[in-house]
Amino acid sequence: MTRRLRWRVEAAPPQDRLDAYLAARVEGLSRSQVARLLAGGDILVDGASASKSEAPRPGSEIDISVPEPEPSHLEAEDLPLVIVHEDRDLAVVEKPAGMVVHPAPGHRAGTLVNALLHHISDLSGVGGVRRPGIVHRLDRDTSGLMLVAKHDRSHRALSAALKRREVRRRYLAASWGHLDADALEVDAPIGRSSSHRKRMGVVESGRAARTRFARLERWRAADLLRADLDTGRTHQIRVHLRHVGHPVVGDDVYGSDWERGFGGRDRAWAAELARRAERQFLHAAELEFRHPRHGRPMRFTSGLPDDLRAVADWARDG
């Protein structure tokens, strides 16, 4: 079905281009979508076709025919998924560990996107396709809160807020050994590792990255940390903790066999912690942002999932 809209230009608009004017006023339409509709003759101004650079005139009647978003080629799958919050613009979900976010070679099914297509019924489309807009990502073996947009306007607004560092993300992580102080800020650029092309690392030519860590608990040979992201680079927390000599417990990429470096009684304790941590001890625990529609602050929290909570309970008693 085609959605038909009629718009009247009431006064001289601040935008001097039709595509910018409509993108700023018509919900669910991005500037690129408006341009496509204009090129296809689906937008008429006073009954005639118009160009995207045409200036809107006060009193003009604009008729818009918006085709339904194309169906996604991805399959909706009834996978377990906790939806913490949902409204007409966005959803906040808890991604379980072991779930890949986007379909990719080797992961065509069983992803978060497949699950979202099943659980969220009113996706109006991102980029003209009925699919969820992923605002930020989590690694496959990282659990916790993720922010998802339901339509283009929400996706653009939330992505811009993330770029301006107005979306706060806080994680819980366990790291090997002990930080020198209860608080630590790591400001080190991250880029592709020159020695391991599938890994990231701290490199001079990398993109700026800053993480703030605070120790919450001191275990025998590991710390429980809170990590606040000021930027959002790939594997940022994992890379920064490896950089300062305290990789994430259970991280097979950046902290493999780290437990073997301990001596004395700590060696046996570390070996047991490594055995119990069947995946990286990293959980997206808090998410804060302003709603893209009404601007009110939104805050969500998520406690440690059962597998990580069991590891932490043992570590406290060990």
Side-chain angles (χ1 to χ4, degrees):
M1 295 180 62
T2 298
R3 180 165 58 114
R4 300 191 180 279
L5 305 171
R6 175 162 289 183
W7 193 274
R8 182 181 178 86
V9 182
E10 296 293 346
Q15 292 92 348
D16 58 0
R17 291 172 57 102
L18 187 59
D19 56 351
Y21 172 80
L22 291 175
R25 285 162 175 77
V26 181
E27 182 175 339
L29 287 186
S30 66
R31 191 162 174 173
S32 60
Q33 284 179 291
V34 171
R36 287 196 298 270
L37 292 174
L38 284 164
D42 294 313
I43 297 179
L44 303 178
V45 178
D46 295 327
S49 59
S51 69
K52 63 183 181 181
S53 59
E54 181 176 316
R57 298 183 301 275
S60 289
E61 295 280 353
I62 302 176
D63 292 285
I64 308 171
S65 298
V66 184
E68 284 291 304
E70 298 175 11
S72 172
H73 66 281
L74 301 172
E75 183 180 350
E77 296 182 59
D78 187 5
L79 303 172
L81 185 66
V82 175
I83 299 179
V84 179
H85 170 83
E86 184 179 1
D87 58 42
R88 58 177 169 163
D89 301 302
L90 58 88
V92 176
V93 302
E94 284 200 10
K95 187 188 84 65
M99 178 179 277
V100 174
V101 172
H102 281 289
H107 297 283
R108 292 295 184 186
T111 72
L112 178 66
V113 169
N114 295 110
L116 289 168
L117 288 170
H118 171 82
H119 287 282
I120 298 180
S121 60
D122 60 338
L123 292 171
S124 63
V126 173
V129 179
R130 192 180 299 281
R131 62 183 174 90
I134 303 298
V135 178
H136 62 102
R137 302 184 185 185
L138 294 178
D139 300 336
R140 180 185 64 185
D141 291 328
T142 299
S143 55
L145 298 172
M146 284 190 61
L147 181 56
V148 178
K150 288 188 173 184
H151 52 75
D152 261 321
R153 179 170 291 183
S154 177
H155 190 242
R156 292 197 311 273
L158 292 170
S159 296
L162 183 70
K163 190 174 182 179
R164 295 192 301 267
R165 302 178 184 177
E166 295 173 357
V167 178
R168 190 179 109 182
R169 291 164 292 162
R170 175 171 284 177
Y171 292 72
L172 294 175
S175 63
W176 287 116
H178 301 298
L179 299 184
D180 293 334
D182 288 337
L184 172 68
E185 181 177 297
V186 182
D187 192 345
I190 291 177
R192 188 67 60 181
S193 171
S194 59
S195 56
H196 298 88
R197 297 306 299 168
K198 292 185 178 181
R199 300 184 187 181
M200 308 301 289
V202 170
V203 295
E204 289 186 8
S205 60
R207 301 175 68 187
R210 184 168 59 249
T211 315
R212 290 173 286 117
F213 297 100
R215 178 163 40 222
L216 301 178
E217 298 178 19
R218 184 184 175 99
W219 301 336
R220 176 176 289 184
D223 286 335
L224 179 65
L225 307 176
R226 182 181 69 225
D228 287 278
L229 292 180
D230 285 348
T231 53
R233 309 304 176 210
T234 301
H235 300 173
Q236 179 170 318
I237 293 172
R238 300 162 64 193
V239 170
H240 274 172
L241 283 174
R242 169 63 184 256
H243 179 64
V244 297
H246 301 283
V248 172
V249 171
D251 188 341
D252 291 336
V253 175
Y254 299 103
S256 179
D257 295 330
W258 206 265
E259 68 277 6
R260 297 182 181 182
F262 295 94
R265 294 176 58 194
D266 288 347
R267 184 180 180 88
W269 185 93
E272 181 62 16
L273 181 65
R275 187 188 71 80
R276 290 173 177 269
E278 297 181 349
R279 53 107 168 178
Q280 61 198 29
F281 197 118
L282 187 58
H283 179 67
E286 295 184 34
L287 185 61
E288 289 188 43
F289 58 93
R290 288 193 174 275
H291 197 281
R293 181 179 296 274
H294 48 65
R296 290 194 289 271
M298 311 284 286
R299 181 176 183 269
F300 303 93
T301 61
S302 171
L304 287 175
D306 291 344
D307 62 337
L308 298 187
R309 186 168 61 249
V311 173
D313 288 345
W314 177 87
R316 294 182 185 110
D317 297 335

